[in-house]
Amino acid sequence: VQTTYQTFTFYVCLAAFVCLSLTVAGIPLTVFTVVGGALAIGVGFGSQNIVNNFISGLILMVEKPLKIGDTVEINGILGTIAEIGTRATRIRTPESKVWIIPNSIFLEHPMQNWTNDDAIVRTEVTVGVAYGSNTELVKSLSLNILNKMDFVQQSPRPRVMFDDFGDNSLIFKLQF
């Protein structure tokens, strides 16, 4: 914060010094009208992205397609919403990395909100077993394991399905 104030103060003092120097030298500020106009156009184009993200942040806060604590996936980034700001949103990944994503990205790109309505997420795990294994035993053992886990909901019921013949194994999907 201190660095930000120092930088801001420096530019304000610099602008005041330039204006005062021009006045003392007898050069009217109207000479710089064209330069000021060009500078204003440049600032306008430069701030377009900032204004876009600011308005997108307001839309996100009003519409609430996501909220703090939601698990989302956007542009290949999976994580939990840590903060929704006016310019950007912070996402914390399972590896504890924090991504700062401009708010306009959430409105311009497809986003998957895994926990928008509730914290229950249906997921699946792929398991491979050796060829020749007893598939009914695989299914029975997998369901027993899933049913004994505290975090696995019983409604809808967990299920185990044969999925594919792999290179070295039979592939099953456990959905819970």
Side-chain angles (χ1 to χ4, degrees):
V1 173
Q2 182 179 2
T3 304
T4 303
Y5 287 135
Q6 284 176 340
T7 304
F8 181 72
T9 303
F10 171 77
Y11 284 114
V12 167
C13 290
L14 181 65
F17 176 75
V18 168
C19 289
L20 182 63
S21 298
L22 290 172
T23 304
V24 169
I27 301 172
L29 292 177
T30 56
V31 171
F32 298 102
T33 306
V34 174
V35 174
L39 183 64
I41 290 173
V43 169
F45 280 123
S47 64
Q48 179 181 5
N49 195 17
I50 294 171
V51 171
N52 182 17
N53 286 318
F54 177 74
I55 292 172
S56 297
L58 295 177
I59 291 170
L60 289 175
M61 290 178 191
V62 170
E63 285 187 3
K64 298 188 190 269
L66 50 91
K67 57 187 175 301
I68 294 174
D70 281 353
T71 301
V72 298
E73 185 172 356
I74 186 163
N75 286 351
I77 299 169
L78 174 68
T80 304
I81 301 291
E83 176 187 346
I84 303 170
T86 54
R87 187 194 70 77
T89 296
R90 295 176 187 264
I91 296 180
R92 181 175 300 278
T93 67
E95 299 86 22
S96 289
K97 296 177 183 174
V98 175
W99 286 83
I100 300 171
I101 301 177
N103 287 329
S104 61
I105 300 293
F106 288 98
L107 299 179
E108 296 169 357
H109 294 91
M111 172 191 64
Q112 183 161 11
N113 190 335
W114 290 86
T115 55
N116 191 30
D117 295 331
D118 58 34
I120 298 172
V121 176
R122 186 160 181 91
T123 190
E124 65 184 27
V125 174
T126 303
V127 175
V129 296
Y131 279 105
S133 298
N134 182 340
T135 57
E136 289 302 317
L137 182 60
V138 169
K139 184 176 180 179
S140 172
L141 289 173
S142 299
L143 284 172
N144 280 340
I145 291 169
L146 288 172
N147 287 329
K148 289 181 181 177
M149 300 182 111
D150 293 335
F151 63 86
V152 174
Q153 303 289 316
Q154 295 305 310
S155 177
R157 304 277 311 152
R159 60 185 188 169
V160 177
M161 299 177 298
F162 174 74
D163 185 51
D164 197 6
F165 293 97
D167 291 339
N168 301 319
S169 61
L170 300 171
I171 308 295
F172 286 84
K173 287 204 179 196
L174 287 61
Q175 295 181 334
F176 56 94

